Amino acid sequence: MRVEPVRALRGELTVPGDKSISHRAVLLGALAEGRTEITGFLPGVDCLSTIACLRRLGVAIEQEGSRVTVHGAGWYALREPEDVLDVGNSGTTIRLLAGVLATQPFHSVLVGDASIARRPMRRVTAPLRAMGAHIDGRADGEYTPLAIRGGPLRAIHHVSPVASAQVKSALLLAGLQADGETAVTEPQRSRDHTERMLRAFGAELTLCGTTVRVRGGQRLTGQRVEVPGDISSAAFFLVAAALVPGSDLVVRGVGLNPTRTGILDVLKAMGAEVEVEETGEACGEPVGNVRVRHAPLAATAIGGDLIPRLIDELPVIAVLATQAEGVTVIRDAQELRVKETDRIATVVAELSKMGARIEATPDGMIIHGPTPLVGARCDSHGDHRIGMALAVAGLIADGPTEIARAEAVAVSFPDFFDRLRTVAK
Ligand code: SPQ
């Protein structure tokens, strides 16, 4: 993909449905009793992997673009799959499904692509084993393929060393069928879409500080789910508008869950003009419009509790920081090293090719700005968020930027480049 510099980004747009919420909507729909009707579903490759795995487990699902109907027949209507369950590139699919399969009295095998094969799984397999599930995988349950034989589980209180919504969600799902009350404590709060959606499907959960508790033996009932736009997808446009002089852009209908809006805090802290209008709620999730206008940018410090609220936005925040006056320091973000790629290494390598003054640290990045960027031959490394972050960098570079393996954007944002063309002036 070739990206040329633009004069400004102006107008309005919507972005596809939230990836995290789309996964959870089909998954809970599959486990619930009755029909679940989903609108605004993200037909990205990752969420289609979740649908494919659920179909293999015997769930009837109709999908046409962003409309999905799931015919849930209850938690124990899943049946032993005849072949392996392939999660493709999706960490959310494998970790949440591991939690569900731990409750099922049959054998299943989870596999994924080369990136999934490198991502850590013991963070879910160890506590699920402690609950009584039989799980094996390479390096003692750390890597795929994961072979799972589930069954009756006992509740545990798991204190997670990482703030991870995938770990928390896997254990809450398993806990829904365990004997007793399962509790998960995190060092900081991670995104809470699972908790919000479980409540919408009729389950009871309690939250105290960073501990969530769920009682076993609860049933879910099919619902109507309206998925809001994905703020992580909107982030590429919001950052682009903040970067390109003369820009004035509105993203409509985007999810504003406070566990996801760290990007808005960073844009404001760096000096961009940001207006947020909350317009309503869908399935327990706040929704609204966000307007961003370009303004001179200043460096900021990013770390601590803010990190889980913007973890997936850090690649594009690094691009933003290249144009901010001063030194931006990102720390406490070591989780970036175990995403689709090592996002600290890939961001530093690719932005350096464009002339950025950026260095890697064990848990983040240090970025000096403002530094003019130059068009270069870059590579997404097969990571959707790296591909889109590089496209945003290309909008402000001198000369064209070529992005190899740009098709990776389809994991979370299939028509990213088309939508970019509609607002680029
Ligand atoms: O699903 P996957 O591959 O893990 O996707 C990513 C992404 O950039 O889209 C991370 F690589 O998002 C995760 C996110 O980082 C999605 C997610 C969720 O839906 O629960 C939670 C976060 O991961 P984690 O490891 O902190 O739980």
Side-chain angles (χ1 to χ4, degrees), residues 19-20 24 46 89-92 95 119 163-166 191 311-312 339-340 343 384-385:
K19 177 160 79 71
S20 295
R24 286 155 173 84
D46 268 15
N89 189 242
S90 177
T92 308
R95 297 203 180 104
R119 295 180 69 181
S164 161
Q166 294 174 3
R191 63 190 68 185
I311 186 75
D312 297 336
K339 298 295 183 185
E340 284 82 329
R343 287 180 175 162
H384 54 131
R385 302 215 188 271

mmCIF file with all atom_site columns, all heavy atoms in Angstrom, residues 19-20 24 46 89-92 95 119 163-166 191 311-312 339-340 343 384-385, ligand 1:
data_model
loop_
_atom_site.group_PDB
_atom_site.id
_atom_site.type_symbol
_atom_site.label_atom_id
_atom_site.label_alt_id
_atom_site.label_comp_id
_atom_site.label_asym_id
_atom_site.label_entity_id
_atom_site.label_seq_id
_atom_site.pdbx_PDB_ins_code
_atom_site.Cartn_x
_atom_site.Cartn_y
_atom_site.Cartn_z
_atom_site.occupancy
_atom_site.B_iso_or_equiv
_atom_site.pdbx_formal_charge
_atom_site.auth_seq_id
_atom_site.auth_comp_id
_atom_site.auth_asym_id
_atom_site.auth_atom_id
_atom_site.pdbx_PDB_model_num
ATOM   1   N N   . LYS A 1 19  ? -14.121 -4.347  18.148 1.00 0.00 ? 19  LYS A N   1
ATOM   2   C CA  . LYS A 1 19  ? -13.648 -5.733  18.014 1.00 0.00 ? 19  LYS A CA  1
ATOM   3   C C   . LYS A 1 19  ? -13.878 -6.524  19.308 1.00 0.00 ? 19  LYS A C   1
ATOM   4   O O   . LYS A 1 19  ? -14.393 -7.638  19.271 1.00 0.00 ? 19  LYS A O   1
ATOM   5   C CB  . LYS A 1 19  ? -12.162 -5.733  17.624 1.00 0.00 ? 19  LYS A CB  1
ATOM   6   C CG  . LYS A 1 19  ? -11.529 -7.117  17.521 1.00 0.00 ? 19  LYS A CG  1
ATOM   7   C CD  . LYS A 1 19  ? -10.264 -7.106  16.695 1.00 0.00 ? 19  LYS A CD  1
ATOM   8   C CE  . LYS A 1 19  ? -9.042  -6.597  17.398 1.00 0.00 ? 19  LYS A CE  1
ATOM   9   N NZ  . LYS A 1 19  ? -8.485  -7.481  18.456 1.00 0.00 ? 19  LYS A NZ  1
ATOM   10  N N   . SER A 1 20  ? -13.502 -5.937  20.440 1.00 0.00 ? 20  SER A N   1
ATOM   11  C CA  . SER A 1 20  ? -13.665 -6.648  21.715 1.00 0.00 ? 20  SER A CA  1
ATOM   12  C C   . SER A 1 20  ? -15.137 -6.983  21.963 1.00 0.00 ? 20  SER A C   1
ATOM   13  O O   . SER A 1 20  ? -15.474 -8.087  22.398 1.00 0.00 ? 20  SER A O   1
ATOM   14  C CB  . SER A 1 20  ? -13.161 -5.776  22.869 1.00 0.00 ? 20  SER A CB  1
ATOM   15  O OG  . SER A 1 20  ? -11.784 -5.577  22.761 1.00 0.00 ? 20  SER A OG  1
ATOM   16  N N   . ARG A 1 24  ? -17.261 -10.756 22.028 1.00 0.00 ? 24  ARG A N   1
ATOM   17  C CA  . ARG A 1 24  ? -18.045 -11.138 23.218 1.00 0.00 ? 24  ARG A CA  1
ATOM   18  C C   . ARG A 1 24  ? -19.514 -11.341 22.878 1.00 0.00 ? 24  ARG A C   1
ATOM   19  O O   . ARG A 1 24  ? -20.184 -12.201 23.470 1.00 0.00 ? 24  ARG A O   1
ATOM   20  C CB  . ARG A 1 24  ? -17.865 -10.076 24.311 1.00 0.00 ? 24  ARG A CB  1
ATOM   21  C CG  . ARG A 1 24  ? -16.471 -10.168 24.959 1.00 0.00 ? 24  ARG A CG  1
ATOM   22  C CD  . ARG A 1 24  ? -16.029 -8.865  25.564 1.00 0.00 ? 24  ARG A CD  1
ATOM   23  N NE  . ARG A 1 24  ? -14.799 -8.964  26.327 1.00 0.00 ? 24  ARG A NE  1
ATOM   24  C CZ  . ARG A 1 24  ? -13.566 -8.901  25.811 1.00 0.00 ? 24  ARG A CZ  1
ATOM   25  N NH1 . ARG A 1 24  ? -13.393 -8.773  24.504 1.00 0.00 ? 24  ARG A NH1 1
ATOM   26  N NH2 . ARG A 1 24  ? -12.500 -8.975  26.597 1.00 0.00 ? 24  ARG A NH2 1
ATOM   27  N N   . ASP A 1 46  ? -10.507 -11.277 12.630 1.00 0.00 ? 46  ASP A N   1
ATOM   28  C CA  . ASP A 1 46  ? -10.463 -11.850 13.982 1.00 0.00 ? 46  ASP A CA  1
ATOM   29  C C   . ASP A 1 46  ? -11.844 -12.296 14.458 1.00 0.00 ? 46  ASP A C   1
ATOM   30  O O   . ASP A 1 46  ? -11.996 -13.392 15.014 1.00 0.00 ? 46  ASP A O   1
ATOM   31  C CB  . ASP A 1 46  ? -9.926  -10.819 14.984 1.00 0.00 ? 46  ASP A CB  1
ATOM   32  C CG  . ASP A 1 46  ? -8.415  -10.914 15.176 1.00 0.00 ? 46  ASP A CG  1
ATOM   33  O OD1 . ASP A 1 46  ? -7.756  -11.559 14.341 1.00 0.00 ? 46  ASP A OD1 1
ATOM   34  O OD2 . ASP A 1 46  ? -7.902  -10.330 16.147 1.00 0.00 ? 46  ASP A OD2 1
ATOM   35  N N   . ASN A 1 89  ? -5.377  -15.141 13.861 1.00 0.00 ? 89  ASN A N   1
ATOM   36  C CA  . ASN A 1 89  ? -4.461  -14.158 14.467 1.00 0.00 ? 89  ASN A CA  1
ATOM   37  C C   . ASN A 1 89  ? -4.992  -13.623 15.808 1.00 0.00 ? 89  ASN A C   1
ATOM   38  O O   . ASN A 1 89  ? -4.422  -12.705 16.386 1.00 0.00 ? 89  ASN A O   1
ATOM   39  C CB  . ASN A 1 89  ? -4.305  -12.994 13.450 1.00 0.00 ? 89  ASN A CB  1
ATOM   40  C CG  . ASN A 1 89  ? -3.223  -12.001 13.814 1.00 0.00 ? 89  ASN A CG  1
ATOM   41  O OD1 . ASN A 1 89  ? -3.494  -10.818 14.038 1.00 0.00 ? 89  ASN A OD1 1
ATOM   42  N ND2 . ASN A 1 89  ? -1.995  -12.451 13.882 1.00 0.00 ? 89  ASN A ND2 1
ATOM   43  N N   . SER A 1 90  ? -6.102  -14.197 16.287 1.00 0.00 ? 90  SER A N   1
ATOM   44  C CA  . SER A 1 90  ? -6.860  -13.537 17.357 1.00 0.00 ? 90  SER A CA  1
ATOM   45  C C   . SER A 1 90  ? -6.574  -14.044 18.774 1.00 0.00 ? 90  SER A C   1
ATOM   46  O O   . SER A 1 90  ? -7.024  -15.118 19.174 1.00 0.00 ? 90  SER A O   1
ATOM   47  C CB  . SER A 1 90  ? -8.358  -13.694 17.057 1.00 0.00 ? 90  SER A CB  1
ATOM   48  O OG  . SER A 1 90  ? -9.107  -13.139 18.103 1.00 0.00 ? 90  SER A OG  1
ATOM   49  N N   . GLY A 1 91  ? -5.874  -13.217 19.543 1.00 0.00 ? 91  GLY A N   1
ATOM   50  C CA  . GLY A 1 91  ? -5.610  -13.521 20.952 1.00 0.00 ? 91  GLY A CA  1
ATOM   51  C C   . GLY A 1 91  ? -6.890  -13.569 21.768 1.00 0.00 ? 91  GLY A C   1
ATOM   52  O O   . GLY A 1 91  ? -7.037  -14.390 22.682 1.00 0.00 ? 91  GLY A O   1
ATOM   53  N N   . THR A 1 92  ? -7.830  -12.683 21.455 1.00 0.00 ? 92  THR A N   1
ATOM   54  C CA  . THR A 1 92  ? -9.092  -12.654 22.209 1.00 0.00 ? 92  THR A CA  1
ATOM   55  C C   . THR A 1 92  ? -9.834  -13.973 22.020 1.00 0.00 ? 92  THR A C   1
ATOM   56  O O   . THR A 1 92  ? -10.351 -14.554 22.978 1.00 0.00 ? 92  THR A O   1
ATOM   57  C CB  . THR A 1 92  ? -9.969  -11.478 21.737 1.00 0.00 ? 92  THR A CB  1
ATOM   58  O OG1 . THR A 1 92  ? -9.190  -10.280 21.787 1.00 0.00 ? 92  THR A OG1 1
ATOM   59  C CG2 . THR A 1 92  ? -11.191 -11.313 22.613 1.00 0.00 ? 92  THR A CG2 1
ATOM   60  N N   . ARG A 1 95  ? -8.035  -16.968 23.983 1.00 0.00 ? 95  ARG A N   1
ATOM   61  C CA  . ARG A 1 95  ? -8.038  -16.920 25.452 1.00 0.00 ? 95  ARG A CA  1
ATOM   62  C C   . ARG A 1 95  ? -9.470  -17.009 25.999 1.00 0.00 ? 95  ARG A C   1
ATOM   63  O O   . ARG A 1 95  ? -9.715  -17.715 26.981 1.00 0.00 ? 95  ARG A O   1
ATOM   64  C CB  . ARG A 1 95  ? -7.308  -15.670 25.931 1.00 0.00 ? 95  ARG A CB  1
ATOM   65  C CG  . ARG A 1 95  ? -5.819  -15.692 25.521 1.00 0.00 ? 95  ARG A CG  1
ATOM   66  C CD  . ARG A 1 95  ? -4.971  -14.804 26.399 1.00 0.00 ? 95  ARG A CD  1
ATOM   67  N NE  . ARG A 1 95  ? -3.560  -14.834 26.016 1.00 0.00 ? 95  ARG A NE  1
ATOM   68  C CZ  . ARG A 1 95  ? -2.936  -13.864 25.338 1.00 0.00 ? 95  ARG A CZ  1
ATOM   69  N NH1 . ARG A 1 95  ? -3.608  -12.791 24.945 1.00 0.00 ? 95  ARG A NH1 1
ATOM   70  N NH2 . ARG A 1 95  ? -1.648  -13.961 25.062 1.00 0.00 ? 95  ARG A NH2 1
ATOM   71  N N   . ARG A 1 119 ? 2.547   -16.171 21.280 1.00 0.00 ? 119 ARG A N   1
ATOM   72  C CA  . ARG A 1 119 ? 1.954   -15.368 22.370 1.00 0.00 ? 119 ARG A CA  1
ATOM   73  C C   . ARG A 1 119 ? 1.720   -16.224 23.627 1.00 0.00 ? 119 ARG A C   1
ATOM   74  O O   . ARG A 1 119 ? 1.374   -17.391 23.533 1.00 0.00 ? 119 ARG A O   1
ATOM   75  C CB  . ARG A 1 119 ? 0.663   -14.701 21.876 1.00 0.00 ? 119 ARG A CB  1
ATOM   76  C CG  . ARG A 1 119 ? 0.982   -13.694 20.778 1.00 0.00 ? 119 ARG A CG  1
ATOM   77  C CD  . ARG A 1 119 ? -0.241  -13.009 20.242 1.00 0.00 ? 119 ARG A CD  1
ATOM   78  N NE  . ARG A 1 119 ? -0.841  -12.103 21.203 1.00 0.00 ? 119 ARG A NE  1
ATOM   79  C CZ  . ARG A 1 119 ? -1.944  -11.402 20.955 1.00 0.00 ? 119 ARG A CZ  1
ATOM   80  N NH1 . ARG A 1 119 ? -2.576  -11.533 19.796 1.00 0.00 ? 119 ARG A NH1 1
ATOM   81  N NH2 . ARG A 1 119 ? -2.433  -10.586 21.858 1.00 0.00 ? 119 ARG A NH2 1
ATOM   82  N N   . ALA A 1 163 ? -2.595  -6.717  33.975 1.00 0.00 ? 163 ALA A N   1
ATOM   83  C CA  . ALA A 1 163 ? -3.945  -6.199  33.732 1.00 0.00 ? 163 ALA A CA  1
ATOM   84  C C   . ALA A 1 163 ? -4.336  -6.683  32.345 1.00 0.00 ? 163 ALA A C   1
ATOM   85  O O   . ALA A 1 163 ? -3.897  -6.119  31.344 1.00 0.00 ? 163 ALA A O   1
ATOM   86  C CB  . ALA A 1 163 ? -3.955  -4.679  33.802 1.00 0.00 ? 163 ALA A CB  1
ATOM   87  N N   . SER A 1 164 ? -5.128  -7.740  32.269 1.00 0.00 ? 164 SER A N   1
ATOM   88  C CA  . SER A 1 164 ? -5.494  -8.316  30.974 1.00 0.00 ? 164 SER A CA  1
ATOM   89  C C   . SER A 1 164 ? -6.971  -8.677  30.960 1.00 0.00 ? 164 SER A C   1
ATOM   90  O O   . SER A 1 164 ? -7.428  -9.509  31.744 1.00 0.00 ? 164 SER A O   1
ATOM   91  C CB  . SER A 1 164 ? -4.653  -9.567  30.693 1.00 0.00 ? 164 SER A CB  1
ATOM   92  O OG  . SER A 1 164 ? -5.290  -10.350 29.692 1.00 0.00 ? 164 SER A OG  1
ATOM   93  N N   . ALA A 1 165 ? -7.690  -8.054  30.034 1.00 0.00 ? 165 ALA A N   1
ATOM   94  C CA  . ALA A 1 165 ? -9.121  -8.348  29.918 1.00 0.00 ? 165 ALA A CA  1
ATOM   95  C C   . ALA A 1 165 ? -9.331  -9.777  29.425 1.00 0.00 ? 165 ALA A C   1
ATOM   96  O O   . ALA A 1 165 ? -10.352 -10.398 29.721 1.00 0.00 ? 165 ALA A O   1
ATOM   97  C CB  . ALA A 1 165 ? -9.765  -7.365  28.957 1.00 0.00 ? 165 ALA A CB  1
ATOM   98  N N   . GLN A 1 166 ? -8.354  -10.296 28.686 1.00 0.00 ? 166 GLN A N   1
ATOM   99  C CA  . GLN A 1 166 ? -8.512  -11.657 28.155 1.00 0.00 ? 166 GLN A CA  1
ATOM   100 C C   . GLN A 1 166 ? -8.379  -12.683 29.280 1.00 0.00 ? 166 GLN A C   1
ATOM   101 O O   . GLN A 1 166 ? -9.141  -13.647 29.333 1.00 0.00 ? 166 GLN A O   1
ATOM   102 C CB  . GLN A 1 166 ? -7.503  -11.904 27.034 1.00 0.00 ? 166 GLN A CB  1
ATOM   103 C CG  . GLN A 1 166 ? -7.796  -11.015 25.833 1.00 0.00 ? 166 GLN A CG  1
ATOM   104 C CD  . GLN A 1 166 ? -6.755  -11.094 24.745 1.00 0.00 ? 166 GLN A CD  1
ATOM   105 O OE1 . GLN A 1 166 ? -5.800  -11.857 24.836 1.00 0.00 ? 166 GLN A OE1 1
ATOM   106 N NE2 . GLN A 1 166 ? -6.924  -10.293 23.707 1.00 0.00 ? 166 GLN A NE2 1
ATOM   107 N N   . ARG A 1 191 ? -10.059 -3.443  30.362 1.00 0.00 ? 191 ARG A N   1
ATOM   108 C CA  . ARG A 1 191 ? -11.374 -3.169  29.751 1.00 0.00 ? 191 ARG A CA  1
ATOM   109 C C   . ARG A 1 191 ? -12.433 -4.102  30.339 1.00 0.00 ? 191 ARG A C   1
ATOM   110 O O   . ARG A 1 191 ? -12.150 -5.281  30.590 1.00 0.00 ? 191 ARG A O   1
ATOM   111 C CB  . ARG A 1 191 ? -11.282 -3.275  28.224 1.00 0.00 ? 191 ARG A CB  1
ATOM   112 C CG  . ARG A 1 191 ? -10.929 -4.619  27.711 1.00 0.00 ? 191 ARG A CG  1
ATOM   113 C CD  . ARG A 1 191 ? -10.621 -4.593  26.218 1.00 0.00 ? 191 ARG A CD  1
ATOM   114 N NE  . ARG A 1 191 ? -9.387  -3.858  25.954 1.00 0.00 ? 191 ARG A NE  1
ATOM   115 C CZ  . ARG A 1 191 ? -8.911  -3.576  24.756 1.00 0.00 ? 191 ARG A CZ  1
ATOM   116 N NH1 . ARG A 1 191 ? -9.572  -3.945  23.670 1.00 0.00 ? 191 ARG A NH1 1
ATOM   117 N NH2 . ARG A 1 191 ? -7.782  -2.927  24.599 1.00 0.00 ? 191 ARG A NH2 1
ATOM   118 N N   . ILE A 1 311 ? -3.711  0.605   25.636 1.00 0.00 ? 311 ILE A N   1
ATOM   119 C CA  . ILE A 1 311 ? -2.618  -0.314  25.246 1.00 0.00 ? 311 ILE A CA  1
ATOM   120 C C   . ILE A 1 311 ? -2.541  -0.506  23.723 1.00 0.00 ? 311 ILE A C   1
ATOM   121 O O   . ILE A 1 311 ? -1.460  -0.458  23.145 1.00 0.00 ? 311 ILE A O   1
ATOM   122 C CB  . ILE A 1 311 ? -2.743  -1.676  25.996 1.00 0.00 ? 311 ILE A CB  1
ATOM   123 C CG1 . ILE A 1 311 ? -1.544  -2.571  25.713 1.00 0.00 ? 311 ILE A CG1 1
ATOM   124 C CG2 . ILE A 1 311 ? -4.051  -2.400  25.698 1.00 0.00 ? 311 ILE A CG2 1
ATOM   125 C CD1 . ILE A 1 311 ? -0.289  -2.195  26.415 1.00 0.00 ? 311 ILE A CD1 1
ATOM   126 N N   . ASP A 1 312 ? -3.694  -0.664  23.058 1.00 0.00 ? 312 ASP A N   1
ATOM   127 C CA  . ASP A 1 312 ? -3.659  -0.947  21.615 1.00 0.00 ? 312 ASP A CA  1
ATOM   128 C C   . ASP A 1 312 ? -3.392  0.315   20.786 1.00 0.00 ? 312 ASP A C   1
ATOM   129 O O   . ASP A 1 312 ? -3.134  0.222   19.582 1.00 0.00 ? 312 ASP A O   1
ATOM   130 C CB  . ASP A 1 312 ? -4.976  -1.610  21.170 1.00 0.00 ? 312 ASP A CB  1
ATOM   131 C CG  . ASP A 1 312 ? -5.180  -2.958  21.862 1.00 0.00 ? 312 ASP A CG  1
ATOM   132 O OD1 . ASP A 1 312 ? -4.181  -3.568  22.291 1.00 0.00 ? 312 ASP A OD1 1
ATOM   133 O OD2 . ASP A 1 312 ? -6.342  -3.385  21.985 1.00 0.00 ? 312 ASP A OD2 1
ATOM   134 N N   . LYS A 1 339 ? 2.096   -8.768  21.982 1.00 0.00 ? 339 LYS A N   1
ATOM   135 C CA  . LYS A 1 339 ? 0.897   -8.613  21.155 1.00 0.00 ? 339 LYS A CA  1
ATOM   136 C C   . LYS A 1 339 ? 1.133   -9.328  19.813 1.00 0.00 ? 339 LYS A C   1
ATOM   137 O O   . LYS A 1 339 ? 1.985   -10.200 19.719 1.00 0.00 ? 339 LYS A O   1
ATOM   138 C CB  . LYS A 1 339 ? 0.579   -7.125  20.983 1.00 0.00 ? 339 LYS A CB  1
ATOM   139 C CG  . LYS A 1 339 ? 0.277   -6.409  22.303 1.00 0.00 ? 339 LYS A CG  1
ATOM   140 C CD  . LYS A 1 339 ? -0.982  -6.929  22.959 1.00 0.00 ? 339 LYS A CD  1
ATOM   141 C CE  . LYS A 1 339 ? -1.312  -6.167  24.242 1.00 0.00 ? 339 LYS A CE  1
ATOM   142 N NZ  . LYS A 1 339 ? -2.456  -6.749  24.948 1.00 0.00 ? 339 LYS A NZ  1
ATOM   143 N N   . GLU A 1 340 ? 0.384   -8.947  18.759 1.00 0.00 ? 340 GLU A N   1
ATOM   144 C CA  . GLU A 1 340 ? 0.513   -9.634  17.468 1.00 0.00 ? 340 GLU A CA  1
ATOM   145 C C   . GLU A 1 340 ? 1.969   -9.659  17.007 1.00 0.00 ? 340 GLU A C   1
ATOM   146 O O   . GLU A 1 340 ? 2.422   -10.595 16.343 1.00 0.00 ? 340 GLU A O   1
ATOM   147 C CB  . GLU A 1 340 ? -0.370  -8.951  16.421 1.00 0.00 ? 340 GLU A CB  1
ATOM   148 C CG  . GLU A 1 340 ? -1.849  -9.277  16.552 1.00 0.00 ? 340 GLU A CG  1
ATOM   149 C CD  . GLU A 1 340 ? -2.579  -8.453  17.593 1.00 0.00 ? 340 GLU A CD  1
ATOM   150 O OE1 . GLU A 1 340 ? -1.966  -8.047  18.608 1.00 0.00 ? 340 GLU A OE1 1
ATOM   151 O OE2 . GLU A 1 340 ? -3.788  -8.213  17.403 1.00 0.00 ? 340 GLU A OE2 1
ATOM   152 N N   . ARG A 1 343 ? 5.380   -5.043  19.792 1.00 0.00 ? 343 ARG A N   1
ATOM   153 C CA  . ARG A 1 343 ? 5.037   -3.718  19.246 1.00 0.00 ? 343 ARG A CA  1
ATOM   154 C C   . ARG A 1 343 ? 6.024   -2.627  19.659 1.00 0.00 ? 343 ARG A C   1
ATOM   155 O O   . ARG A 1 343 ? 6.021   -1.554  19.047 1.00 0.00 ? 343 ARG A O   1
ATOM   156 C CB  . ARG A 1 343 ? 3.594   -3.343  19.629 1.00 0.00 ? 343 ARG A CB  1
ATOM   157 C CG  . ARG A 1 343 ? 2.572   -4.142  18.829 1.00 0.00 ? 343 ARG A CG  1
ATOM   158 C CD  . ARG A 1 343 ? 1.137   -3.796  19.170 1.00 0.00 ? 343 ARG A CD  1
ATOM   159 N NE  . ARG A 1 343 ? 0.236   -4.520  18.276 1.00 0.00 ? 343 ARG A NE  1
ATOM   160 C CZ  . ARG A 1 343 ? -1.062  -4.715  18.507 1.00 0.00 ? 343 ARG A CZ  1
ATOM   161 N NH1 . ARG A 1 343 ? -1.628  -4.222  19.596 1.00 0.00 ? 343 ARG A NH1 1
ATOM   162 N NH2 . ARG A 1 343 ? -1.801  -5.376  17.637 1.00 0.00 ? 343 ARG A NH2 1
ATOM   163 N N   . HIS A 1 384 ? -1.915  -5.659  12.281 1.00 0.00 ? 384 HIS A N   1
ATOM   164 C CA  . HIS A 1 384 ? -2.880  -4.652  11.810 1.00 0.00 ? 384 HIS A CA  1
ATOM   165 C C   . HIS A 1 384 ? -2.629  -3.260  12.384 1.00 0.00 ? 384 HIS A C   1
ATOM   166 O O   . HIS A 1 384 ? -2.690  -2.258  11.657 1.00 0.00 ? 384 HIS A O   1
ATOM   167 C CB  . HIS A 1 384 ? -4.316  -5.109  12.118 1.00 0.00 ? 384 HIS A CB  1
ATOM   168 C CG  . HIS A 1 384 ? -4.588  -5.476  13.550 1.00 0.00 ? 384 HIS A CG  1
ATOM   169 N ND1 . HIS A 1 384 ? -5.667  -4.993  14.246 1.00 0.00 ? 384 HIS A ND1 1
ATOM   170 C CD2 . HIS A 1 384 ? -3.935  -6.289  14.434 1.00 0.00 ? 384 HIS A CD2 1
ATOM   171 C CE1 . HIS A 1 384 ? -5.668  -5.504  15.473 1.00 0.00 ? 384 HIS A CE1 1
ATOM   172 N NE2 . HIS A 1 384 ? -4.625  -6.289  15.601 1.00 0.00 ? 384 HIS A NE2 1
ATOM   173 N N   . ARG A 1 385 ? -2.335  -3.189  13.678 1.00 0.00 ? 385 ARG A N   1
ATOM   174 C CA  . ARG A 1 385 ? -2.190  -1.847  14.277 1.00 0.00 ? 385 ARG A CA  1
ATOM   175 C C   . ARG A 1 385 ? -0.890  -1.171  13.826 1.00 0.00 ? 385 ARG A C   1
ATOM   176 O O   . ARG A 1 385 ? -0.831  0.053   13.710 1.00 0.00 ? 385 ARG A O   1
ATOM   177 C CB  . ARG A 1 385 ? -2.285  -1.918  15.795 1.00 0.00 ? 385 ARG A CB  1
ATOM   178 C CG  . ARG A 1 385 ? -3.601  -2.532  16.252 1.00 0.00 ? 385 ARG A CG  1
ATOM   179 C CD  . ARG A 1 385 ? -4.176  -1.958  17.504 1.00 0.00 ? 385 ARG A CD  1
ATOM   180 N NE  . ARG A 1 385 ? -5.314  -2.787  17.889 1.00 0.00 ? 385 ARG A NE  1
ATOM   181 C CZ  . ARG A 1 385 ? -6.575  -2.605  17.485 1.00 0.00 ? 385 ARG A CZ  1
ATOM   182 N NH1 . ARG A 1 385 ? -6.883  -1.591  16.699 1.00 0.00 ? 385 ARG A NH1 1
ATOM   183 N NH2 . ARG A 1 385 ? -7.543  -3.411  17.876 1.00 0.00 ? 385 ARG A NH2 1
HETATM 184 O O1  . SPQ B 2 .   ? -7.240  -10.188 20.238 1.00 0.00 ? 1   SPQ B O1  1
HETATM 185 P P1  . SPQ B 2 .   ? -5.844  -9.684  20.226 1.00 0.00 ? 1   SPQ B P1  1
HETATM 186 O O2  . SPQ B 2 .   ? -5.078  -10.299 19.086 1.00 0.00 ? 1   SPQ B O2  1
HETATM 187 O O3  . SPQ B 2 .   ? -5.134  -9.859  21.541 1.00 0.00 ? 1   SPQ B O3  1
HETATM 188 O O4  . SPQ B 2 .   ? -5.935  -8.103  19.934 1.00 0.00 ? 1   SPQ B O4  1
HETATM 189 C C1  . SPQ B 2 .   ? -5.405  -6.908  20.532 1.00 0.00 ? 1   SPQ B C1  1
HETATM 190 C C2  . SPQ B 2 .   ? -5.391  -5.829  19.379 1.00 0.00 ? 1   SPQ B C2  1
HETATM 191 O O5  . SPQ B 2 .   ? -4.470  -5.029  19.243 1.00 0.00 ? 1   SPQ B O5  1
HETATM 192 O O6  . SPQ B 2 .   ? -6.400  -5.788  18.675 1.00 0.00 ? 1   SPQ B O6  1
HETATM 193 C C3  . SPQ B 2 .   ? -4.021  -7.065  21.166 1.00 0.00 ? 1   SPQ B C3  1
HETATM 194 F F1  . SPQ B 2 .   ? -3.092  -7.444  20.406 1.00 0.00 ? 1   SPQ B F1  1
HETATM 195 O O7  . SPQ B 2 .   ? -6.302  -6.372  21.519 1.00 0.00 ? 1   SPQ B O7  1
HETATM 196 C C4  . SPQ B 2 .   ? -6.559  -6.974  22.799 1.00 0.00 ? 1   SPQ B C4  1
HETATM 197 C C5  . SPQ B 2 .   ? -6.112  -6.025  23.903 1.00 0.00 ? 1   SPQ B C5  1
HETATM 198 O O8  . SPQ B 2 .   ? -4.758  -5.683  23.804 1.00 0.00 ? 1   SPQ B O8  1
HETATM 199 C C6  . SPQ B 2 .   ? -8.046  -7.226  22.879 1.00 0.00 ? 1   SPQ B C6  1
HETATM 200 C C7  . SPQ B 2 .   ? -8.535  -7.439  24.282 1.00 0.00 ? 1   SPQ B C7  1
HETATM 201 C C8  . SPQ B 2 .   ? -9.894  -7.983  24.495 1.00 0.00 ? 1   SPQ B C8  1
HETATM 202 O O9  . SPQ B 2 .   ? -10.766 -7.878  23.605 1.00 0.00 ? 1   SPQ B O9  1
HETATM 203 O O10 . SPQ B 2 .   ? -10.134 -8.508  25.604 1.00 0.00 ? 1   SPQ B O10 1
HETATM 204 C C9  . SPQ B 2 .   ? -7.766  -7.115  25.389 1.00 0.00 ? 1   SPQ B C9  1
HETATM 205 C C10 . SPQ B 2 .   ? -6.385  -6.618  25.290 1.00 0.00 ? 1   SPQ B C10 1
HETATM 206 O O11 . SPQ B 2 .   ? -5.483  -7.690  25.502 1.00 0.00 ? 1   SPQ B O11 1
HETATM 207 P P2  . SPQ B 2 .   ? -5.079  -8.204  26.984 1.00 0.00 ? 1   SPQ B P2  1
HETATM 208 O O12 . SPQ B 2 .   ? -3.941  -9.165  26.722 1.00 0.00 ? 1   SPQ B O12 1
HETATM 209 O O13 . SPQ B 2 .   ? -4.643  -6.994  27.732 1.00 0.00 ? 1   SPQ B O13 1
HETATM 210 O O14 . SPQ B 2 .   ? -6.234  -8.869  27.587 1.00 0.00 ? 1   SPQ B O14 1
#
